[in-house]
């Protein structure tokens, strides 16, 4: 009863085994969906670029979405994207064309990823995040609600360069990140900050404009009185080190290389 | 002609008298809708939790929405919510699971209420407001467009504690409220503020970080040259004291207790 | 195959020649759509005011949308709007009642225009912009993602007065503009600013509260080492001076008057 086979496949679509697709969802030409994925009602996968409406010879770029995804209702994923396994979205998330999103990522309700973006593995973009073209996020980067990244320093211009945010960094809610800014590894950007200059590894920055406050390794948890960062030692839910601890996971990964 | 009976009721749904439901709207199991409510097109009421997709024995928590509501198109209200009468939403509002919303509240277009939230009576959340889990709003709290509340002081962690905002306070557009912050009664948070510490009753705070500016009882109206706060003496539209004035309403309520 | 004639026209609708309309899109009474316009799936054009639900004698105000528009999916345009030619929207844009929008404007994904707004020609509102009632934008005003404008200085009150932003000004991402503020011509508001006082022509302002930083004519491009503003000499894509240059276009326009 959950899925009524009232979706629409347009053109050449490759659907894996045990994929379930909601009502009114449209999957366009040249889309591949991995096994066991769920695409809820009213989604669009492989949304064509606007040329589609004006050029009869338009061909849709290839779109690939990995296995075990859960794409919630009203999500729109444009053509030309490559997205890994275990991908999740909230409601009404949009992902424009030609982005690459790794494995185990999530994109929250009403978040808007503008295309030509690179997102690593295990990134979590919460609700209503805006990521402009040519932004790069490493792995385990969490971006909290309402964060806005930018890509044009002298608008309007013909140069677009988004932020580059490295592994494990946390961008708190309501922050604005200026174009081309590099935020190093293991950083914490405080809520409501406006980041106008590069941030070194292990920095807490805060304010408008954001200033260095302290090394994150000096921040105490608000759960206990102990030091909280690097957070990988204290937060494991959904992380690949959930069962073994972060250090064991790191050495396992090093051995694997 | 307005309502074509092309909606979907799934499972055990209790619809009051004179309820009108739009096309393609889906109402899931264990939802109650009060009399005379209108649910426009493309809404989802009682949206199941994600376990629904993976567990055949999933049962949907009870959802109750009071009478005389107007829920605009594309609104998604999860299962497990209890919402009072005269509730209104804009387009595409989302309310996650297990929240309690009082009577005469409104939630604007694209606002996202994340669940486990308590909202009193006569609260107005305008467009694009983000309310995280475990936030508490009193009565007559107005939250203006783009306000972001937060609930994790050392993200990511396992402790979530949202703000607590008391009766009559006004949170102006684009503000960010930090986790666990208490904003007292009759406060005014200026537009674009980042509130990082508790705010005493009757305070105007503003800036990033927000600082105390003055007692709200010293603020003049921009409509006239007279003092404007507490606003209940100068703004009555839609308020329960609309016909009798605030003082009369207060003493009526005291007598009723 | 792109358009399946599965849309709904309700009442008296005037559709131009070669207009294409997507599935499930609803066009209400007293709407005119200009020639060659495309309205994608799941849009609503001429959305009635809430009185529609309660008053059987309700009549829908006239809505006019010019030729050559591209309105993307899930956009909701209320009744009573007048919109020029070459209008474009992203997904899920909403435009409330009784606004006037000139020619060659675009409104991005999830942006929310609240009604009684005046927008000139060639304005670009990017994703997730909030424009409240009684805001006025001139011509060639670009508003970047997540900008929030406001219209009540002592909320809640009965006076609403939005900002007035003059020709060519650029409002960078994540800014908040206070009620009734006038931003002159050729200004640049830095990302994440909170603009609390009027801004003179040719000013760069930045910060919270926004302060004057420098004359925009002193800002160098980040594409080259040369001065970038007024931007009309360096950015032409989609502008009416694209083929002839800004000065030639200005004198052509002066001759035409």
């Amino acid at each position: 009863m959950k899925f009524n086979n009232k979706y629409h496949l347009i053109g050449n679509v490759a659907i894996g085994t045990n994929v379930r697709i909601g009502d009114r969802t449209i999957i366009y030409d040249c889309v591949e969906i991995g096994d066991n994925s769920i695409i809820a009602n009213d989604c669009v996968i492989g949304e064509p670029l606007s040329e589609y409406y004006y050029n009869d010879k338009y061909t849709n770029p290839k779109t690939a979405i990995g296995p075990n995804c859960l794409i919630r209702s009203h999500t729109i994923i444009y053509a030309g994207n490559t997205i890994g396994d275990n991908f999740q979205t909230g409601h009404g998330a949009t992902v424009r064309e030609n982005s690459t999103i790794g494995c185990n990522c999530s994109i929250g309700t009403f978040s808007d990823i503008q295309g030509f973006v690179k997102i690593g593995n295990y990134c979590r973009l919460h609700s209503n995040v805006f990521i402009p073209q040519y932004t790069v996020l490493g792995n385990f980067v969490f971006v909290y609600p309402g964060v806005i990244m930018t890509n044009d320093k002298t608008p309007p211009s013909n140069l677009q360069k988004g932020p580059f945010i490295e592994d494990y960094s946390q961008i708190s809610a309501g922050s604005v990140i200026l174009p081309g800014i590099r935020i190093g590894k293991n950083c914490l950007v405080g809520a409501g900050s406006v980041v106008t200059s590069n941030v070194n590894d292990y920095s807490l920055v805060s304010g408008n404009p954001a200033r260095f406050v302290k090394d994150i390794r000096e921040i105490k948890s608000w759960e206990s009185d102990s030091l909280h960062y690097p957070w990988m030692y204290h937060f494991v839910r959904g992380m690949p080190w959930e069962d073994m601890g972060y250090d064991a996971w790191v050495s396992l990964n090093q051995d694997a290389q």
Side-chain angles (χ1 to χ4, degrees), chain A:
Chain A
M1 296 293 283
K2 293 170 185 179
F3 294 94
N4 308 299
N5 296 317
K6 292 190 176 173
Y7 53 86
H8 308 278
L9 306 183
I10 297 177
N12 185 16
V13 174
I15 306 286
T17 60
N18 195 31
V19 168
R20 292 170 287 170
I21 303 173
D23 296 353
R24 293 174 302 279
T25 283
I26 305 173
I27 303 182
Y28 282 92
D29 199 27
C30 297
V31 170
E32 276 183 35
I33 309 278
D35 298 346
N36 303 308
S37 284
I38 295 174
I39 302 172
N41 296 335
D42 295 295
C43 292
V44 184
I45 312 293
E47 169 90 357
L49 313 190
S50 57
E51 194 194 348
Y52 169 78
Y53 296 113
Y54 302 108
N55 179 354
D56 283 342
K57 299 195 172 165
Y58 173 83
T59 58
N60 217 25
K62 184 179 164 183
T63 307
I65 297 180
N68 302 308
C69 295
L70 173 55
I71 295 178
R72 287 191 177 79
S73 75
H74 298 95
T75 291
I76 300 176
I77 296 175
Y78 271 68
N81 285 299
T82 303
I83 299 176
D85 59 316
N86 288 309
F87 180 61
Q88 290 211 10
T89 72
H91 301 282
T94 63
V95 183
R96 294 284 301 271
E97 62 272 15
N98 300 319
S99 290
T100 305
I101 299 176
C103 297
N104 301 291
C105 289
S106 61
I107 295 180
T109 293
F110 303 139
S111 280
D112 183 4
I113 315 301
Q114 283 277 294
F116 300 94
V117 162
K118 287 197 177 136
I119 298 178
N121 300 315
Y122 286 98
C123 288
R124 294 184 182 177
L125 282 60
H126 287 248
S127 295
N128 202 14
V129 164
F130 181 82
I131 306 285
Q133 292 192 344
Y134 309 109
T135 298
V136 178
L137 307 185
N139 303 303
F140 304 100
V141 172
F142 292 11
V143 183
Y144 293 91
V147 167
I148 299 170
M149 303 195 188
T150 63
N151 71 358
D152 188 353
K153 209 165 175 176
T154 54
S157 81
N158 300 298
L159 176 61
Q160 268 79 43
K161 191 177 173 192
F164 171 32
I165 301 182
E166 296 197 62
D167 297 357
Y168 304 114
S169 281
Q170 304 285 309
I171 313 299
S172 298
S175 294
V176 177
I177 315 295
L178 266 70
I181 289 295
R182 175 188 170 283
I183 295 180
K185 293 183 182 178
N186 278 298
C187 291
L188 174 60
V189 173
S193 297
V194 179
V195 183
T196 62
S197 53
N198 291 342
V199 178
N200 293 328
D201 295 355
Y202 293 103
S203 300
L204 164 63
V205 299
S206 182
N208 179 3
R211 310 258 187 225
F212 176 80
V213 178
K214 60 169 76 169
D215 189 299
I216 61 141
R217 289 164 292 196
E218 298 170 18
I219 301 173
K220 286 187 174 172
S221 169
W222 81 321
E223 299 176 82
S224 65
D225 204 38
S226 58
L227 297 172
H228 187 67
Y229 296 94
W231 58 265
M232 299 79 81
Y233 294 98
H234 305 283
F235 184 85
V236 301
R237 184 160 33 89
M239 298 294 106
W241 54 82
E242 187 160 4
D243 294 326
M244 70 185 83
Y246 180 66
D247 284 337
W249 176 79
V250 168
S251 50
L252 198 75
N253 270 25
Q254 284 171 337
D255 293 349
Q257 284 173 357

